[in-house]
Amino acid sequence: MARATQHIECAKGLMRQYFIELEDPDLAYLVEGTDEFNAYIEDMRWAQEYAFANRQAMMDEVVRQVAWFLGRTLRPEPAINCHHNYTVMEHHDGRDVWLTRKGAIRARSGDLGVIPGSMGAKSYIVRGRGSRASYTSSSHGAGRRLSRMEARRSLSVESLNAEMSGKSWNAPSAEALLDEHPDAYKPIAEVMEAQTDLVEVVHELRQILNYKGVEEVRRKGRAR
């Protein structure tokens, strides 16, 4: 986060240096081709590669643990690398552009992706349809219906326990996970129905186990 903050402050400083007036300081930007822009892109790509390595390590460990539990060797299908909230250069409408998928995943024609619901809902393996109107993207997941603060104010531990009935999850930490309550999110079935022009469903996954890093959830809650 410190490196990201440095780049943001650098952009704000450049706006002041060149007397560029913005409606909001948070709209500060870096100009492509400059040393400052290139330094940001280098750090951003490093962070995205680091995140990829983390996902790969977690998937390898899950496969290892399942194989141990079943007592046999597993030959899993090729992993689906599906991430969101990232930036990449792509070619759209006849030109190269820096595209940020915020709350979205890549859904080029034939791309396999994962669209999860809330911690109590189904998830979907999808295949992209390559919609040009969406810059070959689809939603990352259900999306929040309530902010984290509103969820903690209006939802209860009792209703969270009821929603998660029949599933294995870190129930002793229910209070810390209240802002991840399924009712804080939009119904995933409705979200999927609204984007049939962006993706097709390949597999529908029914949840039997859910795990969230509770300390990370608490840290995010304090930050907000």
Side-chain angles (χ1 to χ4, degrees):
M1 184 61 72
R3 292 291 291 172
T5 301
Q6 289 175 16
H7 290 300
I8 292 170
E9 293 305 316
C10 174
K12 291 180 179 178
L14 289 173
M15 297 299 99
R16 293 190 294 268
Q17 179 180 338
Y18 294 110
F19 303 102
I20 298 174
E21 296 185 3
L22 302 170
E23 293 184 13
D24 189 302
D26 287 338
L27 295 175
Y29 57 88
L30 299 171
V31 177
E32 186 172 8
T34 63
D35 290 342
E36 294 85 0
F37 180 88
N38 292 336
Y40 166 73
I41 293 298
E42 182 179 359
D43 284 348
M44 181 198 70
R45 283 177 164 161
W46 182 92
Q48 290 180 175
E49 290 171 5
Y50 180 82
F52 172 79
N54 271 269
R55 294 194 302 275
Q56 191 171 43
M58 287 187 287
M59 180 59 71
D60 291 345
E61 182 62 17
V62 167
V63 171
R64 190 179 73 81
Q65 291 294 336
V66 171
W68 172 83
F69 180 80
L70 296 176
R72 61 188 179 89
T73 301
L74 297 181
R75 294 180 176 82
E77 296 289 332
I80 300 172
N81 176 33
C82 181
H83 58 155
H84 66 288
N85 295 354
Y86 71 100
T87 299
V88 66
M89 178 173 278
E90 292 183 352
H91 194 77
H92 293 277
D93 296 330
R95 59 196 182 108
D96 292 332
V97 297
W98 284 102
L99 183 65
T100 298
R101 289 191 171 93
K102 176 65 177 174
I105 63 173
R106 191 176 66 185
R108 298 175 306 184
S109 180
D111 275 345
L112 290 177
V114 183
I115 299 180
S118 67
M119 63 184 285
K122 295 177 180 179
S123 295
Y124 298 86
I125 305 298
V126 299
R127 182 178 289 110
R129 295 188 185 276
S131 169
R132 290 183 59 191
S134 70
Y135 292 91
T136 61
S137 305
S138 75
S139 78
H140 150 63
R144 297 194 70 89
R145 186 174 63 86
L146 301 175
S147 70
R148 293 185 182 277
M149 188 173 294
E150 180 61 26
R152 299 195 69 81
R153 281 198 301 260
S154 61
L155 302 174
S156 68
V157 169
E158 291 74 19
S159 62
L160 175 56
N161 280 311
E163 287 280 353
M164 297 302 292
S165 177
K167 303 176 180 67
S168 295
W169 65 295
N170 34 350
S173 301
E175 185 173 357
L177 294 171
L178 196 53
D179 53 6
E180 287 292 316
H181 195 300
D183 288 346
Y185 288 84
K186 301 170 187 174
I188 186 62
E190 293 181 11
V191 173
M192 297 305 298
E193 180 62 28
Q195 59 179 348
T196 55
D197 57 333
L198 306 182
V199 294
E200 63 172 316
V201 175
V202 178
H203 296 291
E204 188 174 296
L205 307 178
R206 181 175 59 86
Q207 186 181 117
I208 59 173
L209 180 146
N210 180 277
Y211 175 79
K212 288 188 178 293
V214 179
E215 288 305 317
E216 177 68 8
V217 169
R218 286 176 178 151
R219 185 188 64 78
K220 287 183 177 179
R222 288 194 296 269
R224 288 173 173 81

